[in-house]
Amino acid sequence: MPEPFAAWFAARGWTPRPHQLAVLAEARAGRHALLIAPTGGGKTLAGFLPSLVELAGRPPRRPGEAGARGLHTLYISPLKALAVDVERNLLAPVTQMGLSIAIESRTGDTGVGRRERQRRAPPDILLTTPEQLALFLAWEGARSYFADLRRVVIDEVHALWPSKRGDLLALGLARLSALAPDMTLIGLSATVAEPGLIQDWLSPDPARPVSLVRGAGGAPPVVDLLLSQGRVPWVGHTAHHAMAEVYDAIRQARSALVFVNTRFQAEFAFQELWRLNEDNLPIALHHGSLAAEQRRKVEAAMSRGELRAVVCTSTLDLGVDWGDVDLVIQVATPKGASRMVQRIGRANHRLDEASRALFVPANRFEMLECQAAREAIAESAFDHERPRQGALDVLAQHLMGLTCSEPCDPDALYEEVRNAGPYASLERSGFDAALDLAATGGYALRAYDRFARIVRRSDGRLVARNRETVLRHRLNVGAIVSAAMLAVRVVSAKGGRKIGPQTRGGRKIGEVEEGYLDVLEIGDTFVFAGQTWRLEGVTGTEVLVSPAPGEEARMPSWGGSKFALSTFLAAKVRAMMSDESRWSALPADVAEWLGLQRERSIIPAPDEMLVETFPHGQRHFLVAYPFEGRLAHTTLCMLLTRRLERLRVGPVGFVCNDYALAIWTVRDLANLDMDALFEEDMLGDDLEAWLDESPLMKSAFKACALISGLIERRFAGGEKTSRQVNISTDLIYEVLRRHQSDHLLLRCAREDAAQGMIDIARLADLLCRIRGKIRHQALERLSPFSVSVIAEIGRQASPGQSAASLILEDASAGYDAQRWTQDLIARAVGDERMDIGNAEQSGP
């Protein structure tokens, strides 16, 4: 370790960790490296150390030397907040050692003036995101800008690689390798089950392998389970019953991060904590729909140690280093062991000090899941990822960007693309199809001028058609497709001011999807960004609101998907559930619940699936327990209902959660052949027919069309509404289905629907696992396990017959969630041995 670095370490009583020195040695040898180390092990410093040493040792600028030095190191972060946080933390040692090294961040929130300056005079180290890299590579000066690049550091690489965003980044890294052949890569990752997958993603070239560096493990985390008054509710998802104990835990901590899995849960938990906040503790809210300015204020206040707690979603999962945080609270379940390890690492961000975490399960199945996650963390066991092939819609976007930068030879581009890990095995036919999509829109669309975006020059090289095409591409770069967002702005409605089409709001407090407003009328009050607002109107792409403090408010829910229960964690839950010797580690009421299930029905072996049939009210129910997550269960329900309709047992409806699914009909289901009902052949014609009829294919097609650039959401001076985008994509979708059924985007949409929307691979594994191992139990009434999924009726939309007709037909007073749930529990228990009132209300 050269000076002044050795002295800087010594002055703080520190010794460089072996993995930090190992990464430095790999970089000096010109080799790529992947560092796998637990949180708090100094990964970030290890990643930057080779660059800082090289930059500190470069000769000073000669007198009269003109021009800016080139960019030396590019740092890629999956989160804007992480890039800004790393910039702040990296500047500290650089300043303390008196090094003349320029470090700056560049994200979507960076001002235009600063971005222009960074292009003209690049800093030594630039911290940015995958989307900003894609923009840089579509710039005319990209070749010269990156010519002196020596290193790329990819942080939290485990969160990036298995996604389309990772595909786009891998293509960007392959381009950087072509522009700066001597560049080396350093990947930084938390502990993962299969580091080889990440090594292959970083560099598939056997001539330049990626060295694996492992950091030593730190102190094992301390993970506790919160039992509110010693009881766990039968059902629920907000942990409303335990918020008083969560608040007490915050009071006793120096500083806490309260993680939830959805924006709805974040708003709900924040409101509940403030309702309980008699001590007026500084508690903040952080999620992706809040205005960027508000998020930055929260991050800055937390870094200064001014907050006692932040209620947050996955926006703060990764890498953010706030030294005062000594407790992580997970409200509801983490859904994956790896994700939970990442979150726990935010507490006591030091390797030699145990991180503390508190799990707050919202119901009894979640208690099993939390205990399974707790055991997995103690065993250092992690979720597995599947290998993936690079998406061709992403490739089309990347190729379009390169032709915006400079004339390109298609043969050279093909070889370059194959240097990206996800595309290492790409056939030339796939490359040509992606290039044709970017250039003409494909065979069926090439006659339309609007899809002609790339032209071939006389020398055979490819270039973007014109400046307008270049601008349109740059405005739509990225592989993150979300619903069209409406800006939520504050407007004064005093004095009966009327809101008209020309009314413009003031301060922006955040963004919401268009569907967020479906349950609201003008004048309604609702909770958003931790406050109560009145909806005054909607004009164009703006939602206009006015403050409504103290008024009773609704809490709409956002669109978007929830985290899926990981396959690894689901297997551990099934194993724990079936092993009575492990029940002693569970709360007494949960162990009693398991015992009652065994008495009234059965508990299947880990490799079996339980199917229960029973009458309830005027309907007959089939309840299965695959434990494969809501996404796979929804797909399975759709396929099962098609089969049941052919058997003429309808009308049919269903609900599901992460653990079980329930299907109801008007006819008895007890005599069905369950093995035949769950045959794997449902993934053939039934699946294809359902996909053709469902809106999933159109939804997947829209995402692929936006990523590929065939459809553009943003344009100079504005953005299309979701309705406008839907009209465009629906028209093209129908044209392609009729005239070119093998079009690349239709194939991409089919693959995305199978992988991301309906989880076909996981469903196929399930059907294979349970072949010949289905345990059917015909019951006279509900089982204890079935309560959790039957209680979902009326709380989630149910395809088929209206769920309202199923909810206590004799309840003339109308639907009441608490009474409905208590009735279910009473019928499942059937005696007075258990407390039937221990059911969480759903919240607002």
Side-chain angles (χ1 to χ4, degrees), residues 83-217:
V84 174
D85 183 67
V86 169
E87 178 188 14
R88 181 175 57 249
N89 292 335
L90 191 59
L91 283 170
V94 167
T95 302
Q96 291 160 3
M97 285 184 276
L99 302 177
S100 179
I101 298 176
I103 302 171
E104 294 184 7
S105 62
R106 179 190 179 99
T107 71
D109 298 332
T110 304
V112 175
R114 191 180 190 192
R115 291 191 201 182
E116 287 299 320
R117 178 176 54 76
Q118 288 171 344
R119 285 177 55 174
R120 294 192 308 269
D124 298 309
I125 299 176
L126 182 65
L127 302 93
T128 190
T129 61
E131 291 72 30
Q132 290 297 315
L133 173 58
L135 275 173
F136 262 119
L137 294 175
W139 173 45
E140 294 90 338
R143 181 171 291 276
S144 59
Y145 191 87
F146 292 110
D148 297 326
L149 186 68
R150 296 287 301 163
R151 187 156 296 107
V152 178
V153 180
I154 306 104
D155 206 352
E156 308 290 0
V157 65
H158 60 281
L160 280 169
W161 79 268
S163 66
K164 287 194 174 185
R165 210 173 170 216
D167 294 344
L168 185 63
L169 177 55
L171 289 166
L173 296 178
R175 181 61 168 175
L176 291 176
S177 295
L179 301 180
D182 295 331
M183 173 203 77
T184 57
L185 302 171
I186 297 177
L188 307 177
S189 175
T191 306
V192 292
E194 298 167 293
L197 293 175
I198 302 179
Q199 288 174 277
D200 292 341
W201 177 86
L202 283 168
S203 176
D205 184 359
R208 297 200 69 186
V210 178
S211 302
L212 179 62
V213 178
R214 289 188 179 272

Side-chain angles (χ1 to χ4, degrees), residues 566-593:
S566 73
T567 303
F568 170 75
L569 207 54
K572 292 189 73 68
V573 170
R574 291 196 304 269
M576 176 190 303
M577 192 173 62
S578 64
D579 186 354
E580 188 174 350
S581 67
R582 298 171 64 181
W583 295 0
S584 59
L586 300 170
D589 61 338
V590 176
E592 187 179 7
W593 170 70

Side-chain angles (χ1 to χ4, degrees), residues 379-650:
E379 299 163 3
S380 296
F382 301 98
D383 304 310
H384 292 262
E385 292 283 356
R386 297 177 185 268
R388 64 173 279 119
Q389 297 294 317
L392 295 184
D393 54 340
V394 175
L395 176 58
Q397 180 190 133
H398 176 71
L399 296 175
M400 183 69 235
L402 297 190
T403 64
C404 292
S405 174
E406 63 182 22
C408 300
D409 175 69
D411 295 331
L413 279 186
Y414 174 60
E415 296 304 322
E416 179 184 309
V417 164
R418 282 163 51 89
N419 284 326
Y423 299 89
S425 59
L426 178 68
E427 298 288 343
R428 182 62 190 247
S429 59
F431 172 85
D432 289 340
L435 182 58
D436 187 45
L437 172 61
T440 70
Y443 171 76
L445 301 176
R446 69 176 64 234
Y448 298 91
D449 187 66
R450 60 171 294 192
F451 300 117
R453 298 187 296 155
I454 297 176
V455 296
R456 188 182 296 269
R457 299 193 320 188
S458 58
D459 61 0
R461 292 178 177 269
L462 306 173
V463 294
R465 181 182 180 187
N466 50 38
R467 294 297 303 169
E468 180 189 356
T469 302
V470 172
L471 176 61
R472 282 163 39 201
H473 170 78
R474 291 174 181 166
L475 288 171
N476 291 277
V477 161
I480 301 176
V481 177
S482 57
M485 304 297 285
L486 304 177
V488 183
R489 295 188 180 274
V490 181
V491 65
S492 173
K494 293 181 179 179
R497 177 189 178 189
K498 293 184 178 180
I499 304 298
Q502 303 306 315
T503 305
R504 290 292 176 265
R507 177 171 61 92
K508 180 180 177 180
I509 59 174
E511 296 179 327
V512 296
E513 295 98 342
E514 290 175 309
Y516 181 87
L517 304 174
D518 287 348
V519 299
L520 297 176
E521 300 288 342
I522 302 300
D524 283 353
T525 54
F526 65 102
V527 172
F528 179 75
Q531 300 179 58
T532 301
W533 306 93
R534 178 176 288 102
L535 179 62
E536 300 291 352
V538 180
T539 63
T541 58
E542 292 188 351
V543 179
L544 306 179
V545 301
S546 62
E551 296 195 23
E552 188 170 341
R554 305 180 69 177
M555 191 175 293
S557 62
W558 277 265
S561 59
K562 301 177 177 66
F563 289 130
L565 176 65
S566 73
T567 303
F568 170 75
L569 207 54
K572 292 189 73 68
V573 170
R574 291 196 304 269
M576 176 190 303
M577 192 173 62
S578 64
D579 186 354
E580 188 174 350
S581 67
R582 298 171 64 181
W583 295 0
S584 59
L586 300 170
D589 61 338
V590 176
E592 187 179 7
W593 170 70
L594 290 170
L596 190 64
Q597 170 68 20
R598 182 186 55 196
E599 176 185 322
R600 297 290 166 82
S601 179
I602 57 173
I603 294 180
D607 61 343
E608 295 175 335
M609 184 180 75
L610 170 62
V611 176
E612 297 171 335
T613 52
F614 51 80
H616 179 65
Q618 298 179 14
R619 302 293 184 272
H620 294 269
F621 283 79
L622 181 154
V623 179
Y625 304 89
F627 288 85
E628 293 293 347
R630 187 183 299 265
L631 194 61
H633 292 174
T634 301
T635 304
L636 182 56
C637 281
M638 296 299 291
L639 298 176
L640 289 173
T641 53
R642 291 181 67 89
R643 290 194 161 184
L644 291 172
E645 286 167 356
R646 287 202 299 270
L647 294 173
R648 301 184 183 279
V649 297

Side-chain angles (χ1 to χ4, degrees), residues 557-752:
S557 62
W558 277 265
S561 59
K562 301 177 177 66
F563 289 130
L565 176 65
S566 73
T567 303
F568 170 75
L569 207 54
K572 292 189 73 68
V573 170
R574 291 196 304 269
M576 176 190 303
M577 192 173 62
S578 64
D579 186 354
E580 188 174 350
S581 67
R582 298 171 64 181
W583 295 0
S584 59
L586 300 170
D589 61 338
V590 176
E592 187 179 7
W593 170 70
L594 290 170
L596 190 64
Q597 170 68 20
R598 182 186 55 196
E599 176 185 322
R600 297 290 166 82
S601 179
I602 57 173
I603 294 180
D607 61 343
E608 295 175 335
M609 184 180 75
L610 170 62
V611 176
E612 297 171 335
T613 52
F614 51 80
H616 179 65
Q618 298 179 14
R619 302 293 184 272
H620 294 269
F621 283 79
L622 181 154
V623 179
Y625 304 89
F627 288 85
E628 293 293 347
R630 187 183 299 265
L631 194 61
H633 292 174
T634 301
T635 304
L636 182 56
C637 281
M638 296 299 291
L639 298 176
L640 289 173
T641 53
R642 291 181 67 89
R643 290 194 161 184
L644 291 172
E645 286 167 356
R646 287 202 299 270
L647 294 173
R648 301 184 183 279
V649 297
V652 178
F654 70 81
V655 290
C656 57
N657 58 26
D658 272 333
Y659 316 103
L661 60 90
I663 296 174
W664 60 81
T665 75
V666 295
R667 297 187 181 180
D668 190 357
L669 299 169
N671 295 320
L672 289 175
D673 183 342
M674 296 301 170
D675 288 324
L677 186 63
F678 287 89
E679 271 288 346
E680 293 172 83
D681 62 2
M682 73 168 67
L683 299 183
D685 292 342
D686 278 340
L687 176 63
E688 295 302 326
W690 172 54
L691 279 177
D692 283 342
E693 297 170 2
S694 78
L696 290 179
M697 274 293 289
K698 282 189 177 181
S699 179
F701 180 83
K702 179 174 76 171
C704 293
L706 288 168
I707 289 174
S708 69
L710 190 73
I711 296 294
E712 293 144 352
R713 169 170 284 162
R714 287 174 288 274
F715 54 90
E719 182 172 334
K720 295 178 183 177
T721 65
S722 182
R723 181 174 179 273
Q724 290 170 326
V725 172
N726 286 340
I727 290 173
S728 299
T729 54
D730 287 354
L731 285 172
I732 296 174
Y733 176 74
E734 295 300 334
V735 167
L736 294 181
R737 283 189 66 191
R738 287 196 301 268
H739 301 291
Q740 193 183 354
S741 59
D742 64 343
H743 190 278
L744 177 61
L745 281 189
L746 291 178
R747 288 187 275 132
C748 289
R750 175 63 174 74
E751 292 171 6
D752 283 4

Side-chain angles (χ1 to χ4, degrees), residues 189-450:
S189 175
T191 306
V192 292
E194 298 167 293
L197 293 175
I198 302 179
Q199 288 174 277
D200 292 341
W201 177 86
L202 283 168
S203 176
D205 184 359
R208 297 200 69 186
V210 178
S211 302
L212 179 62
V213 178
R214 289 188 179 272
V222 176
V223 182
D224 295 317
L225 292 173
L226 189 151
L227 294 179
S228 179
Q229 301 177 2
R231 307 289 289 175
V232 183
W234 281 65
V235 300
H237 64 281
T238 63
H240 175 262
H241 70 288
M243 281 301 161
E245 287 92 339
V246 171
Y247 177 71
D248 286 340
I250 291 171
R251 288 177 57 192
Q252 297 169 29
R254 186 170 64 244
S255 183
L257 290 177
V258 182
F259 279 105
V260 295
N261 293 335
T262 68
R263 291 169 289 178
F264 169 86
Q265 289 174 320
E267 294 277 0
F268 176 80
F270 181 74
Q271 289 295 316
E272 286 298 301
L273 290 173
W274 266 105
R275 183 179 61 80
L276 297 164
N277 193 5
E278 297 176 351
D279 303 284
N280 201 30
L281 301 178
I283 300 174
L285 176 66
H286 193 289
H287 62 68
S289 285
L290 300 181
E293 180 184 2
Q294 179 63 25
R295 295 197 304 269
R296 285 196 295 267
K297 285 182 179 179
V298 171
E299 294 157 13
M302 198 67 175
S303 67
R304 294 192 298 266
E306 297 173 357
L307 298 178
R308 290 292 297 276
V310 176
V311 180
C312 55
T313 60
S314 56
T315 51
L316 295 182
D317 266 8
L318 303 174
V320 178
D321 182 7
W322 290 324
D324 286 339
V325 174
D326 62 342
L327 177 65
V328 164
I329 301 173
Q330 172 66 47
V331 176
T333 54
K335 301 302 175 189
S338 298
R339 179 182 300 111
M340 199 60 241
V341 168
Q342 189 75 39
R343 289 180 171 181
I344 291 174
R346 307 279 70 80
N348 294 331
H349 211 265
R350 289 173 290 277
L351 192 64
D352 54 355
E353 187 173 340
S355 299
R356 285 198 310 126
L358 180 65
F359 287 178
V360 187
N363 59 59
R364 295 185 177 187
F365 273 122
E366 285 199 358
M367 174 58 74
L368 298 179
E369 189 182 334
C370 285
Q371 179 62 24
R374 190 183 183 196
E375 294 178 4
I377 291 166
E379 299 163 3
S380 296
F382 301 98
D383 304 310
H384 292 262
E385 292 283 356
R386 297 177 185 268
R388 64 173 279 119
Q389 297 294 317
L392 295 184
D393 54 340
V394 175
L395 176 58
Q397 180 190 133
H398 176 71
L399 296 175
M400 183 69 235
L402 297 190
T403 64
C404 292
S405 174
E406 63 182 22
C408 300
D409 175 69
D411 295 331
L413 279 186
Y414 174 60
E415 296 304 322
E416 179 184 309
V417 164
R418 282 163 51 89
N419 284 326
Y423 299 89
S425 59
L426 178 68
E427 298 288 343
R428 182 62 190 247
S429 59
F431 172 85
D432 289 340
L435 182 58
D436 187 45
L437 172 61
T440 70
Y443 171 76
L445 301 176
R446 69 176 64 234
Y448 298 91
D449 187 66
R450 60 171 294 192

